[in-house]
Amino acid sequence: MARFIFITGGVVSSLGKGLSSAALGALLQARGYSVRLRKLDPYLNVDPGTMSPFEHGEVFVTDDGAETDLDLGHYERFTGVSARNTDSVSSGRIYSTVLEKERRGDYLGKTIQVIPHVTNEIKDFISIGEDEVDFMLCEIGGTVGDIEALPFFEAIRQFSQDKPRAQCIFMHLTLIPYLAAAGELKTKPTQHSVKELRSIGIAPEVLVCRSEHPIPDKERAKIGLFCNVRTENVIAAYDLKSIYEAPLAYHHEGLDTAVLDAFGITDAPMPDMSRWDDVADRLTNAEGEVKIAIVGKYTQLGDAYKSIAEALTHGGMANRTRVKLEWVDAEVFDTEDPVAHLEPFDAILVPGGFGERGTEGKIKAAEYARTHNVPYLGICLGMQMAVIEAARNLAGITDAGSEEFDHEAGGKRFTPVVYHLKEWVQGNHKVARKVDDDKGGTMRLGAYTAQLEEGSKVAEVYGTTTIEERHRHRYEVDVKYREALEKTGLKFSGMSPDGRLPEIIEWPDHPWFIGVQFHPELKSKPFAPHPLFASFIKAAIESSRLV
């Protein structure tokens, strides 16, 4: 049966609970233990799928089609353990499940209350798969004191009481601010945060203290004394140059030792940190630099493209090259010549997105990359824009566009080279969708197989002709335009097994121009860079040498 580690946060949000949880999971793996990580979010959305990227950052998609918090991306990147739909839950999903049970009569006429019905539902969720791993790490979103998070805190308090002694521990992440005027670190916010946590019945065994300045032993002892935590379990978490230094940094600070001691585990094997030593070496000893332009519409918030940014970093690590990213707002190209903006870059990536805003700029970016022989990677909408560009400029379909834009505008303006996907095969059955269906959870989601053409660039990149990648889209390139487009030289080099859905396009006579309907960034890891990103960065290196 798994041991449970509950990770909570205090003082302020965005301290990095997800990163700390992922790094701890990696450290426990390095000691030979199996782990699984979970995220419990207090918001009332059923999942983040319908949230704006400006609200919540990117949506991370699992193999089994769950739309989840971006922290699950951290979990996968650090541990290599594929997340499942049972690894992410929100208050909305919990309440929805409780209300469905009430409507069915499952509660036999009882009055439905937060305690015990909501808290029991949360505990049931936490328990899923507890016999599969050695450690289950559960991160609670938000900060202690948030009204909406109270049912989760109460549930994990009850859960720890239900389990045998030393089966559960609590790790609390806080902030130690530095007051420049006073010239000193302040521990009072941490004391108050722990006091708030203890007032609801949770006593943390481990404190992780974020700080921009070194925390002296005297201050650690003070924190331990007033928070009733062993001094050696007060762990400093300093700002790092790269998030991938976190496992080594936390190990140096003794986080894994503190956690194991809290469980009373004294015979744990020493960690094998060779994987993370290699990752750190590739980061710090890069032999060159390439500049990549990400032409998108959510450029004001880096978290909107979190997995893409990390996958590009991984591609750089595979080539021992430093990747310098620059966010380029696609809307700029509505009024300005893209040449001046894109000329300084060694490669261009156009990511996914929803809605018409910024799409004309993305089309111009694809045209620039094609006509100037600049390496191009189009992901989801980025592939669709490359197809529309080819249709307009080469295939004679001058009004080529997407049904998505017409649906949004409420009138027909384009020849729909990209159309609303109404049915597709998932496993052994067909899925049907209508334009006016609910938005949440109705896209083509999760892992699907694609067949690659022998001798194509992508087949060479992957080293195989059968792949499985994660999708998140409801619009698709219409295969009926394939013949007209292939006459221009564009190759449909990857298709769904039934041959109905285009998965990959490429220009064979271009140094490196590939568009994919799926999201390869979701499967990339620092110790196992995705082949598409590794090849894309390699092409960028070669492009930089031609300048």
Side-chain angles (χ1 to χ4, degrees), residues 128-337:
I128 296 171
E130 64 179 323
D131 57 346
E132 298 175 2
V133 293
D134 299 317
F135 288 94
M136 191 80 77
L137 288 74
C138 299
E139 176 195 346
I140 313 300
T143 55
V144 62
D146 294 345
I147 291 173
E148 60 265 32
L150 284 173
F152 286 107
F153 287 119
E154 173 60 18
I156 62 176
R157 183 198 67 78
Q158 292 180 19
F159 191 91
S160 69
Q161 293 297 308
D162 296 340
K163 294 294 181 183
R165 190 180 295 274
Q167 197 76 30
C168 303
I169 70 165
F170 296 93
M171 184 175 102
H172 192 54
L173 196 71
T174 73
L175 177 68
I176 308 291
Y178 178 80
L179 293 185
E184 58 186 13
L185 293 166
K186 291 297 180 182
T187 64
K188 192 64 72 177
T190 292
Q191 294 177 43
H192 280 293
S193 181
V194 173
K195 181 181 177 182
E196 179 80 20
L197 200 58
R198 292 175 69 86
S199 72
I200 56 178
I202 295 174
E205 284 87 357
V206 178
L207 280 179
V208 177
C209 302
R210 284 294 307 271
S211 176
E212 296 177 351
H213 295 266
I215 304 174
D217 290 343
K218 179 183 175 183
E219 298 303 314
R220 293 197 200 210
K222 180 181 178 182
I223 293 167
L225 176 64
F226 285 102
C227 296
N228 200 35
V229 174
R230 292 179 180 274
T231 303
E232 59 269 26
N233 287 6
V234 178
I235 308 299
Y238 303 122
D239 293 347
L240 302 169
K241 291 181 181 178
S242 166
I243 61 172
Y244 300 116
E245 296 174 6
L248 292 170
Y250 275 128
H251 176 60
H252 181 264
E253 287 292 324
L255 176 60
D256 47 332
T257 301
V259 166
L260 293 170
D261 284 348
F263 281 113
I265 299 173
T266 57
D267 58 348
M270 290 300 293
D272 176 7
M273 302 300 292
S274 56
R275 167 186 281 182
W276 295 103
D277 287 332
D278 179 60
V279 166
D281 177 61
R282 289 177 178 274
L283 280 170
T284 56
N285 296 312
E287 296 167 0
E289 181 178 280
V290 292
K291 290 180 67 178
I292 310 294
I294 300 179
V295 182
K297 60 190 290 186
Y298 312 119
T299 54
Q300 299 95 320
L301 182 68
D303 276 356
Y305 302 117
K306 188 64 178 175
S307 289
I308 286 176
E310 298 306 324
L312 287 168
T313 299
H314 306 160
M317 292 162 63
N319 291 279
R320 284 196 173 272
T321 298
R322 190 175 296 104
V323 177
K324 185 179 179 183
L325 306 180
E326 192 164 318
W327 312 99
V328 179
D329 189 343
E331 288 185 276
V332 170
F333 302 154
D334 291 344
T335 56
E336 299 179 29
D337 187 350

